[in-house]
Amino acid sequence: MTGVLDRPLLLVGCGKMGSALLAGWRESGIVAAGVHVVEPMGVGGVAAGADVRAVTRVDDLPKGLDPEVVVFAVKPQQMAEVAPPYRRFVKSGTLFLSIAAGTPIRFFEEKLGRDAAIVRAMPNTPAAIGRGITVACPNPRATAAQSALAKSLLEAVGEALIVGDEALLDPVTALSGSGPAYVFLLIEAMTDAGAAAGLPRELAARLALVTVAGAGQLALESADPPATLRENVTSPGGTTFAALQVLMAKNGMADLMKQAIAAATRRSRELAG
Ligand SMILES: NC(=O)c1ccc[n+]([C@@H]2O[C@H](COP(=O)([O-])OP(=O)(O)OC[C@H]3O[C@@H](n4cnc5c(N)ncnc54)[C@H](OP(=O)(O)O)[C@@H]3O)[C@@H](O)[C@H]2O)c1
């Protein structure tokens, strides 16, 4: 982790993702200089604390506030209205970090000015349990130290990677951003198929859920790549072999996944404008 912040962090939007980040930052101690939050609903529960000062409107922030980082965690459709008043924090040394899906760096350069140091990040929902993966891209104004700081802040909710090419964030959105939904669908499909094969639905649902979670964890912890793990459980002529002949046939799972991720990538590009 890259040190701790010398100046306060300003979090704009403390919904699902903002509060997950806030919890992670406090646990890691990276926000030692305190956190200011702007959230129309106010913050309560675990988000409240002596180190967190929350206001409901940007105009209510302390006059002399000089944040080291401003984190935007509002919905993309709210961003055009939300971002402009934060232009007053643009100065050398203040980093703007956005986690808004599909909102490109140029949008923030338009709203905040070309002098703003910006990192655009794409997290995913397992961030809520500290198991997310985020890919982030800095603009040319962001220094290497600011990119490293953004990475550390994002690591509060899982893994984080920095890339230099913003165009990668469209396929990233399609793979890891939307990816949890594909896994949930896999669990649903396995449940339905198990029930259709004669299992009580509740048993099928539990078997599907724990199998997906356990296999994912095994793949994560194993030194072998997923293909080797798959081959290890596939005896020629056995039951897994019979199933994989269906799943790996032409127009099977690999082809479908390619089409699905291509469709999501195209949609991400369309949404970014
Ligand atoms: N959830 C995910 O898994 C996920 C994954 C990848 C990326 N993201 C991105 O993360 C961002 C936040 O998503 P989320 O799921 O955390 O959404 P969320 O739960 O709706 O949180 C957004 C919060 O921002 C607040 N807000 C609205 N206007 C504001 C303003 N003017 N100033 C300050 N706060 C304001 C909202 O309050 P109100 O409820 O009153 O509007 C809400 O509490 C989105 O841009 C999304 O694309 C989320």
Side-chain angles (χ1 to χ4, degrees):
M1 195 178 83
T2 302
V4 295
L5 270 66
D6 296 322
R7 290 183 279 137
L9 181 145
L10 172 54
L11 173 63
V12 183
C14 196
K16 290 185 283 295
M17 198 55 93
S19 52
L21 283 164
L22 181 56
W25 296 332
R26 291 165 95 192
E27 202 173 313
S28 71
I30 195 169
V31 288
V35 179
H36 290 259
V37 177
V38 182
E39 164 59 56
M41 310 292 285
V43 300
V46 287
D51 55 338
V52 174
R53 294 182 61 189
V55 295
T56 53
R57 299 173 332 129
V58 58
D59 293 343
D60 296 336
L61 285 168
K63 289 290 166 269
L65 180 64
D66 178 23
E68 187 165 348
V69 186
V70 176
V71 178
F72 288 124
V74 300
K75 294 280 191 207
Q77 58 272 26
Q78 296 166 327
M79 203 57 90
E81 201 191 321
V82 170
Y86 294 88
R87 193 174 182 136
R88 70 173 156 117
F89 296 116
V90 176
K91 49 168 271 192
S92 156
T94 298
L95 170 68
F96 290 81
L97 171 60
S98 163
I99 60 160
T103 310
I105 287 173
R106 68 170 185 282
F107 169 94
F108 294 100
E109 289 173 340
E110 279 160 21
K111 301 291 174 203
L112 303 170
R114 299 194 73 81
D115 287 340
I118 298 157
V119 171
R120 173 189 166 192
M122 183 60 216
N124 65 1
T125 47
I129 55 160
R131 296 281 305 270
I133 185 157
T134 304
V135 177
C137 180
N139 78 341
R141 284 284 175 176
T143 63
Q146 286 176 317
S147 288
L149 179 59
K151 183 170 184 291
S152 292
L153 289 167
L154 295 164
E155 279 170 349
V157 289
E159 285 186 34
L161 305 154
I162 301 287
V163 296
D165 179 3
E166 191 184 5
L168 293 178
L169 290 192
D170 294 310
V172 162
T173 301
L175 180 53
S176 56
S178 303
Y182 316 155
V183 177
F184 302 144
L185 178 64
L186 175 66
I187 297 169
E188 293 175 68
M190 286 174 70
T191 300
D192 288 345
L199 289 171
R201 175 155 282 276
E202 212 173 304
L203 176 59
R206 190 71 196 156
L207 293 176
L209 176 63
V210 179
T211 299
V212 170
Q217 189 65 34
L218 177 62
L220 199 60
E221 290 181 14
S222 172
D224 291 325
T228 306
L229 296 174
R230 170 173 55 75
E231 283 156 11
N232 288 348
V233 293
T234 313
S235 339
T239 57
T240 311
F241 181 81
L244 290 182
Q245 278 204 308
V246 177
L247 291 173
M248 296 175 79
K250 192 168 160 42
N251 299 325
M253 203 164 167
D255 286 331
L256 275 176
M257 191 57 79
K258 229 177 257 169
Q259 288 172 38
I261 288 189
T265 304
R266 276 196 304 277
R267 187 66 188 133
S268 176
R269 287 193 189 116
E270 281 166 17
L271 290 173

